[in-house]
mmCIF file of all heavy atoms in Angstrom:
data_model
loop_
_atom_site.group_PDB
_atom_site.id
_atom_site.type_symbol
_atom_site.label_atom_id
_atom_site.label_comp_id
_atom_site.label_asym_id
_atom_site.label_seq_id
_atom_site.Cartn_x
_atom_site.Cartn_y
_atom_site.Cartn_z
ATOM 1 N N ASN L 24 -26.933 33.489 49.440
ATOM 2 C CA ASN L 24 -27.081 33.338 50.872
ATOM 3 C C ASN L 24 -28.471 32.763 51.220
ATOM 4 O O ASN L 24 -29.448 32.856 50.396
ATOM 5 C CB ASN L 24 -26.865 34.596 51.434
ATOM 6 C CG ASN L 24 -25.496 35.071 51.271
ATOM 7 O OD1 ASN L 24 -24.586 34.413 51.575
ATOM 8 N ND2 ASN L 24 -25.377 36.324 50.665
ATOM 9 N N PRO L 25 -28.637 32.279 52.469
ATOM 10 C CA PRO L 25 -29.929 31.850 52.901
ATOM 11 C C PRO L 25 -30.934 33.016 52.791
ATOM 12 O O PRO L 25 -30.684 34.152 52.869
ATOM 13 C CB PRO L 25 -29.715 31.450 54.376
ATOM 14 C CG PRO L 25 -28.238 31.116 54.424
ATOM 15 C CD PRO L 25 -27.574 32.031 53.456
ATOM 16 N N LYS L 26 -32.270 32.666 52.773
ATOM 17 C CA LYS L 26 -33.342 33.637 52.691
ATOM 18 C C LYS L 26 -33.303 34.579 53.930
ATOM 19 O O LYS L 26 -32.912 34.108 55.012
ATOM 20 C CB LYS L 26 -34.684 32.974 52.620
ATOM 21 C CG LYS L 26 -34.862 32.208 51.317
ATOM 22 C CD LYS L 26 -36.236 31.559 51.336
ATOM 23 C CE LYS L 26 -36.488 30.763 50.023
ATOM 24 N NZ LYS L 26 -37.790 30.211 49.984
ATOM 25 N N LEU L 27 -33.444 35.799 53.574
ATOM 26 C CA LEU L 27 -33.307 36.914 54.642
ATOM 27 C C LEU L 27 -34.631 37.104 55.228
ATOM 28 O O LEU L 27 -35.587 37.630 54.568
ATOM 29 C CB LEU L 27 -32.691 38.118 53.972
ATOM 30 C CG LEU L 27 -31.535 37.779 53.059
ATOM 31 C CD1 LEU L 27 -30.932 39.075 52.663
ATOM 32 C CD2 LEU L 27 -30.473 36.977 53.771
ATOM 33 N N LEU L 28 -34.859 36.746 56.504
ATOM 34 C CA LEU L 28 -36.124 36.794 57.024
ATOM 35 C C LEU L 28 -36.407 38.035 57.787
ATOM 36 O O LEU L 28 -36.317 38.011 59.006
ATOM 37 C CB LEU L 28 -36.265 35.504 57.938
ATOM 38 C CG LEU L 28 -36.100 34.233 57.101
ATOM 39 C CD1 LEU L 28 -36.212 33.004 58.045
ATOM 40 C CD2 LEU L 28 -37.103 33.998 56.025
ATOM 41 N N LEU L 29 -36.675 39.028 57.177
ATOM 42 C CA LEU L 29 -37.204 40.301 57.822
ATOM 43 C C LEU L 29 -38.782 40.448 57.458
ATOM 44 O O LEU L 29 -39.106 39.862 56.482
ATOM 45 C CB LEU L 29 -36.373 41.440 57.384
ATOM 46 C CG LEU L 29 -34.921 41.426 57.644
ATOM 47 C CD1 LEU L 29 -34.270 42.655 56.994
ATOM 48 C CD2 LEU L 29 -34.602 41.352 59.072
ATOM 49 N N SER L 30 -39.422 41.212 58.189
ATOM 50 C CA SER L 30 -40.917 41.092 58.026
ATOM 51 C C SER L 30 -41.666 42.414 57.903
ATOM 52 O O SER L 30 -42.817 42.590 58.284
ATOM 53 C CB SER L 30 -41.504 40.348 59.174
ATOM 54 O OG SER L 30 -41.127 40.953 60.444
ATOM 55 N N LEU L 31 -41.049 43.512 57.353
ATOM 56 C CA LEU L 31 -41.767 44.710 57.041
ATOM 57 C C LEU L 31 -42.465 44.559 55.754
ATOM 58 O O LEU L 31 -42.086 43.880 54.846
ATOM 59 C CB LEU L 31 -40.774 45.852 57.083
ATOM 60 C CG LEU L 31 -40.114 46.136 58.386
ATOM 61 C CD1 LEU L 31 -39.225 47.404 58.256
ATOM 62 C CD2 LEU L 31 -41.146 46.395 59.506
ATOM 63 N N ALA L 32 -43.638 45.200 55.674
ATOM 64 C CA ALA L 32 -44.432 45.108 54.463
ATOM 65 C C ALA L 32 -43.841 45.726 53.252
ATOM 66 O O ALA L 32 -43.107 46.694 53.335
ATOM 67 C CB ALA L 32 -45.861 45.739 54.674
ATOM 68 N N LEU L 33 -44.065 45.226 52.111
ATOM 69 C CA LEU L 33 -43.521 45.728 50.787
ATOM 70 C C LEU L 33 -44.468 46.954 50.467
ATOM 71 O O LEU L 33 -45.678 46.793 50.405
ATOM 72 C CB LEU L 33 -43.505 44.647 49.733
ATOM 73 C CG LEU L 33 -43.098 45.171 48.378
ATOM 74 C CD1 LEU L 33 -41.644 45.671 48.343
ATOM 75 C CD2 LEU L 33 -43.316 44.070 47.449
ATOM 76 N N ALA L 34 -43.824 48.063 50.048
ATOM 77 C CA ALA L 34 -44.586 49.168 49.632
ATOM 78 C C ALA L 34 -43.817 49.937 48.528
ATOM 79 O O ALA L 34 -43.109 50.991 48.832
ATOM 80 C CB ALA L 34 -44.895 50.105 50.832
ATOM 81 N N VAL L 35 -43.938 49.416 47.299
ATOM 82 C CA VAL L 35 -43.238 49.991 46.206
ATOM 83 C C VAL L 35 -44.193 50.506 45.168
ATOM 84 O O VAL L 35 -44.972 49.821 44.620
ATOM 85 C CB VAL L 35 -42.279 48.901 45.522
ATOM 86 C CG1 VAL L 35 -41.565 49.469 44.398
ATOM 87 C CG2 VAL L 35 -41.261 48.421 46.510
ATOM 88 N N SER L 36 -44.151 51.756 45.042
ATOM 89 C CA SER L 36 -44.938 52.363 43.970
ATOM 90 C C SER L 36 -44.211 53.232 42.892
ATOM 91 O O SER L 36 -44.738 53.532 41.846
ATOM 92 C CB SER L 36 -46.068 53.320 44.563
ATOM 93 O OG SER L 36 -45.407 54.293 45.328
ATOM 94 N N ALA L 37 -42.914 53.412 43.171
ATOM 95 C CA ALA L 37 -41.993 54.165 42.351
ATOM 96 C C ALA L 37 -40.618 53.781 42.640
ATOM 97 O O ALA L 37 -40.378 52.978 43.440
ATOM 98 C CB ALA L 37 -42.270 55.690 42.513
ATOM 99 N N GLY L 38 -39.652 54.376 41.888
ATOM 100 C CA GLY L 38 -38.234 54.002 42.147
ATOM 101 C C GLY L 38 -37.875 54.402 43.631
ATOM 102 O O GLY L 38 -38.247 55.453 44.097
ATOM 103 N N LEU L 39 -37.048 53.521 44.252
ATOM 104 C CA LEU L 39 -36.554 53.687 45.606
ATOM 105 C C LEU L 39 -35.173 54.282 45.588
ATOM 106 O O LEU L 39 -34.330 53.871 44.701
ATOM 107 C CB LEU L 39 -36.621 52.392 46.366
ATOM 108 C CG LEU L 39 -37.913 51.663 46.600
ATOM 109 C CD1 LEU L 39 -37.774 50.365 47.270
ATOM 110 C CD2 LEU L 39 -38.934 52.587 47.312
ATOM 111 N N SER L 40 -34.874 55.118 46.531
ATOM 112 C CA SER L 40 -33.552 55.601 46.601
ATOM 113 C C SER L 40 -32.622 54.602 47.169
ATOM 114 O O SER L 40 -32.969 53.626 47.724
ATOM 115 C CB SER L 40 -33.505 56.845 47.388
ATOM 116 O OG SER L 40 -33.888 56.628 48.719
ATOM 117 N N GLY L 41 -31.296 54.804 47.017
ATOM 118 C CA GLY L 41 -30.250 53.988 47.646
ATOM 119 C C GLY L 41 -30.056 54.300 49.034
ATOM 120 O O GLY L 41 -30.948 54.627 49.800
ATOM 121 N N GLY L 42 -28.716 54.376 49.450
ATOM 122 C CA GLY L 42 -28.382 54.587 50.881
ATOM 123 C C GLY L 42 -29.057 55.876 51.456
ATOM 124 O O GLY L 42 -29.043 56.889 50.723
ATOM 125 N N CYS L 43 -29.457 55.818 52.586
ATOM 126 C CA CYS L 43 -30.108 56.959 53.260
ATOM 127 C C CYS L 43 -29.048 57.847 53.767
ATOM 128 O O CYS L 43 -28.182 57.465 54.512
ATOM 129 C CB CYS L 43 -30.959 56.437 54.437
ATOM 130 S SG CYS L 43 -32.360 57.476 54.784
ATOM 131 N N ALA L 44 -29.118 59.227 53.487
ATOM 132 C CA ALA L 44 -27.992 60.059 53.842
ATOM 133 C C ALA L 44 -27.960 60.275 55.379
ATOM 134 O O ALA L 44 -26.860 60.583 55.908
ATOM 135 C CB ALA L 44 -28.333 61.459 53.115
ATOM 136 N N ASN L 45 -28.983 60.176 56.030
ATOM 137 C CA ASN L 45 -29.036 60.421 57.507
ATOM 138 C C ASN L 45 -28.948 59.146 58.245
ATOM 139 O O ASN L 45 -29.124 59.202 59.500
ATOM 140 C CB ASN L 45 -30.304 61.197 57.896
ATOM 141 C CG ASN L 45 -30.234 62.595 57.239
ATOM 142 O OD1 ASN L 45 -29.335 63.258 57.134
ATOM 143 N ND2 ASN L 45 -31.485 63.005 56.760
ATOM 144 N N ALA L 46 -28.767 58.000 57.596
ATOM 145 C CA ALA L 46 -28.594 56.739 58.350
ATOM 146 C C ALA L 46 -27.395 56.701 59.184
ATOM 147 O O ALA L 46 -26.324 57.295 58.785
ATOM 148 C CB ALA L 46 -28.622 55.566 57.396
ATOM 149 N N PRO L 47 -27.446 56.162 60.372
ATOM 150 C CA PRO L 47 -26.194 56.011 61.160
ATOM 151 C C PRO L 47 -25.236 55.102 60.614
ATOM 152 O O PRO L 47 -25.452 54.321 59.756
ATOM 153 C CB PRO L 47 -26.797 55.399 62.519
ATOM 154 C CG PRO L 47 -27.913 54.674 62.093
ATOM 155 C CD PRO L 47 -28.634 55.397 60.954
ATOM 156 N N PRO L 48 -23.925 55.280 60.975
ATOM 157 C CA PRO L 48 -22.800 54.407 60.454
ATOM 158 C C PRO L 48 -23.062 53.042 60.754
ATOM 159 O O PRO L 48 -23.751 52.606 61.781
ATOM 160 C CB PRO L 48 -21.562 54.888 61.163
ATOM 161 C CG PRO L 48 -21.924 56.250 61.694
ATOM 162 C CD PRO L 48 -23.339 56.252 61.996
ATOM 163 N N VAL L 49 -22.709 52.069 59.802
ATOM 164 C CA VAL L 49 -22.881 50.638 60.001
ATOM 165 C C VAL L 49 -21.722 50.012 60.749
ATOM 166 O O VAL L 49 -20.573 50.172 60.369
ATOM 167 C CB VAL L 49 -23.051 49.997 58.644
ATOM 168 C CG1 VAL L 49 -23.322 48.504 58.729
ATOM 169 C CG2 VAL L 49 -24.253 50.639 57.975
ATOM 170 N N ALA L 50 -22.117 49.197 61.761
ATOM 171 C CA ALA L 50 -20.967 48.463 62.502
ATOM 172 C C ALA L 50 -21.303 47.019 62.411
ATOM 173 O O ALA L 50 -22.392 46.485 62.205
ATOM 174 C CB ALA L 50 -21.044 48.977 63.939
ATOM 175 N N ASN L 51 -20.242 46.224 62.706
ATOM 176 C CA ASN L 51 -20.286 44.787 62.825
ATOM 177 C C ASN L 51 -20.925 44.063 61.603
ATOM 178 O O ASN L 51 -21.668 43.144 61.639
ATOM 179 C CB ASN L 51 -21.133 44.404 64.052
ATOM 180 C CG ASN L 51 -20.539 44.883 65.321
ATOM 181 O OD1 ASN L 51 -19.375 44.952 65.473
ATOM 182 N ND2 ASN L 51 -21.441 45.420 66.221
ATOM 183 N N ALA L 52 -20.519 44.586 60.339
ATOM 184 C CA ALA L 52 -21.027 43.995 59.082
ATOM 185 C C ALA L 52 -20.058 42.955 58.692
ATOM 186 O O ALA L 52 -18.852 43.027 58.865
ATOM 187 C CB ALA L 52 -21.078 45.093 58.060
ATOM 188 N N GLN L 53 -20.627 41.895 58.148
ATOM 189 C CA GLN L 53 -19.754 40.784 57.565
ATOM 190 C C GLN L 53 -20.255 40.544 56.135
ATOM 191 O O GLN L 53 -21.534 40.284 55.919
ATOM 192 C CB GLN L 53 -20.045 39.481 58.356
ATOM 193 C CG GLN L 53 -19.459 39.599 59.776
ATOM 194 C CD GLN L 53 -19.499 38.234 60.541
ATOM 195 O OE1 GLN L 53 -20.107 37.294 60.011
ATOM 196 N NE2 GLN L 53 -19.048 38.150 61.695
ATOM 197 N N ILE L 54 -19.352 40.546 55.217
ATOM 198 C CA ILE L 54 -19.755 40.270 53.729
ATOM 199 C C ILE L 54 -19.823 38.761 53.576
ATOM 200 O O ILE L 54 -18.904 37.906 53.815
ATOM 201 C CB ILE L 54 -18.655 40.779 52.816
ATOM 202 C CG1 ILE L 54 -18.785 42.349 52.892
ATOM 203 C CG2 ILE L 54 -18.815 40.302 51.473
ATOM 204 C CD1 ILE L 54 -17.836 43.119 52.105
ATOM 205 N N SER L 55 -21.076 38.302 53.135
ATOM 206 C CA SER L 55 -21.304 36.899 52.962
ATOM 207 C C SER L 55 -21.412 36.562 51.436
ATOM 208 O O SER L 55 -21.409 35.327 51.148
ATOM 209 C CB SER L 55 -22.609 36.567 53.575
ATOM 210 O OG SER L 55 -23.682 37.476 53.121
ATOM 211 N N GLU L 56 -21.317 37.537 50.559
ATOM 212 C CA GLU L 56 -21.261 37.253 49.082
ATOM 213 C C GLU L 56 -20.653 38.459 48.432
ATOM 214 O O GLU L 56 -20.949 39.624 48.725
ATOM 215 C CB GLU L 56 -22.689 37.080 48.630
ATOM 216 C CG GLU L 56 -22.712 36.769 47.080
ATOM 217 C CD GLU L 56 -24.167 36.737 46.459
ATOM 218 O OE1 GLU L 56 -25.045 36.586 47.322
ATOM 219 O OE2 GLU L 56 -24.262 36.814 45.258
ATOM 220 N N ILE L 57 -19.746 38.153 47.447
ATOM 221 C CA ILE L 57 -19.104 39.292 46.752
ATOM 222 C C ILE L 57 -19.026 39.001 45.354
ATOM 223 O O ILE L 57 -18.891 37.800 44.889
ATOM 224 C CB ILE L 57 -17.599 39.456 47.288
ATOM 225 C CG1 ILE L 57 -16.987 40.719 46.742
ATOM 226 C CG2 ILE L 57 -16.736 38.240 47.115
ATOM 227 C CD1 ILE L 57 -15.677 41.111 47.534
ATOM 228 N N LYS L 58 -19.149 40.031 44.441
ATOM 229 C CA LYS L 58 -19.085 39.884 43.020
ATOM 230 C C LYS L 58 -18.261 41.078 42.544
ATOM 231 O O LYS L 58 -18.802 42.129 42.452
ATOM 232 C CB LYS L 58 -20.401 39.795 42.418
ATOM 233 C CG LYS L 58 -20.376 39.629 40.840
ATOM 234 C CD LYS L 58 -19.722 38.379 40.384
ATOM 235 C CE LYS L 58 -19.679 38.230 38.879
ATOM 236 N NZ LYS L 58 -21.149 38.082 38.354
ATOM 237 N N MET L 59 -16.965 40.856 42.118
ATOM 238 C CA MET L 59 -16.127 41.972 41.621
ATOM 239 C C MET L 59 -16.026 41.815 40.155
ATOM 240 O O MET L 59 -15.781 40.694 39.609
ATOM 241 C CB MET L 59 -14.657 41.878 42.299
ATOM 242 C CG MET L 59 -14.679 42.067 43.763
ATOM 243 S SD MET L 59 -15.334 43.665 44.346
ATOM 244 C CE MET L 59 -14.071 44.706 43.718
ATOM 245 N N PHE L 60 -16.086 42.964 39.456
ATOM 246 C CA PHE L 60 -16.133 42.919 37.991
ATOM 247 C C PHE L 60 -14.692 43.316 37.460
ATOM 248 O O PHE L 60 -14.422 43.061 36.260
ATOM 249 C CB PHE L 60 -17.261 43.775 37.451
ATOM 250 C CG PHE L 60 -18.580 43.156 37.608
ATOM 251 C CD1 PHE L 60 -19.257 43.476 38.837
ATOM 252 C CD2 PHE L 60 -19.118 42.392 36.644
ATOM 253 C CE1 PHE L 60 -20.503 42.848 38.985
ATOM 254 C CE2 PHE L 60 -20.301 41.789 36.798
ATOM 255 C CZ PHE L 60 -21.067 42.012 37.999
ATOM 256 N N ASN L 61 -13.917 43.943 38.224
ATOM 257 C CA ASN L 61 -12.593 44.343 37.995
ATOM 258 C C ASN L 61 -11.890 44.546 39.318
ATOM 259 O O ASN L 61 -12.576 44.440 40.365
ATOM 260 C CB ASN L 61 -12.433 45.489 36.987
ATOM 261 C CG ASN L 61 -13.257 46.686 37.553
ATOM 262 O OD1 ASN L 61 -12.979 47.173 38.607
ATOM 263 N ND2 ASN L 61 -14.193 47.202 36.701
ATOM 264 N N PRO L 62 -10.620 44.855 39.394
ATOM 265 C CA PRO L 62 -9.962 45.051 40.715
ATOM 266 C C PRO L 62 -10.563 46.125 41.564
ATOM 267 O O PRO L 62 -10.325 46.217 42.763
ATOM 268 C CB PRO L 62 -8.474 45.325 40.352
ATOM 269 C CG PRO L 62 -8.331 44.560 38.986
ATOM 270 C CD PRO L 62 -9.539 44.807 38.251
ATOM 271 N N ARG L 63 -11.418 47.004 41.028
ATOM 272 C CA ARG L 63 -11.887 48.173 41.796
ATOM 273 C C ARG L 63 -13.358 48.107 41.965
ATOM 274 O O ARG L 63 -13.869 48.472 43.022
ATOM 275 C CB ARG L 63 -11.538 49.523 41.161
ATOM 276 C CG ARG L 63 -9.987 49.692 41.028
ATOM 277 C CD ARG L 63 -9.635 51.182 40.493
ATOM 278 N NE ARG L 63 -10.219 52.128 41.369
ATOM 279 C CZ ARG L 63 -9.598 52.638 42.447
ATOM 280 N NH1 ARG L 63 -8.398 52.060 42.854
ATOM 281 N NH2 ARG L 63 -10.165 53.562 43.241
#
């Protein structure tokens, strides 16, 4: 996909966690790239 132009500073000093447990539900999402390795 095209470059994703967000502008918060990078601050990586250790492993980052994945999805945030307290994050609100995601709405109006559109999948622009997919890579399936098997039917599931």
Side-chain angles (χ1 to χ4, degrees):
N24 298 304
K26 292 182 180 179
L27 315 183
L28 302 178
L29 302 176
S30 59
L31 295 181
L33 174 65
V35 177
S36 60
L39 298 176
S40 64
C43 207
N45 297 321
V49 178
N51 300 321
Q53 295 186 353
I54 288 180
S55 55
E56 179 186 346
I57 189 170
K58 180 65 178 290
M59 299 296 295
F60 289 87
N61 55 58
R63 297 188 61 83

